[in-house]
Amino acid sequence: MNVIRVTVGWSGKNYSASLSDNVPGAVVFTADTYDEVLKKAPETLDLHVGGMIVDGDKVPHWLRTGDYKFEFDKDPRS
């Protein structure tokens, strides 16, 4: 199983999060609360992967099949 690290920080007005480099492309999103970050990570990844498929981009098999889990790295200053 692959691990997708979600790096979470505070951007002054809301949380910002990015998915690790093993996910092709740059995937960044924001949320008002940390709980919302936890909810939005899978939704954001699904949207990103769907867009890659529509665009004809190469999508790793493990992303297509859901063979991954999220690990959240929250900046302690957040």
Side-chain angles (χ1 to χ4, degrees):
M1 177 170 287
N2 286 277
V3 174
I4 299 174
R5 291 205 170 285
V6 182
T7 303
V8 183
W10 182 250
S11 63
K13 295 184 180 184
N14 55 17
Y15 287 93
S16 60
S18 62
L19 303 185
S20 55
D21 291 343
N22 61 344
V23 176
V27 184
V28 178
F29 62 96
T30 63
D32 291 333
T33 66
Y34 185 73
D35 287 340
E36 191 177 348
V37 168
L38 301 176
K39 180 182 172 191
K40 286 180 79 172
E43 295 171 355
T44 300
L45 180 62
D46 287 346
L47 181 64
H48 179 66
V49 170
M52 290 177 65
I53 292 169
V54 167
D55 290 346
D57 296 335
K58 184 176 179 183
V59 178
H61 181 69
W62 61 271
L63 273 177
R64 286 182 181 261
T65 61
D67 187 26
Y68 56 83
K69 65 179 181 176
F70 291 99
E71 288 186 4
F72 294 84
D73 296 324
K74 185 177 177 186
D75 184 330
R77 297 169 292 175
S78 305

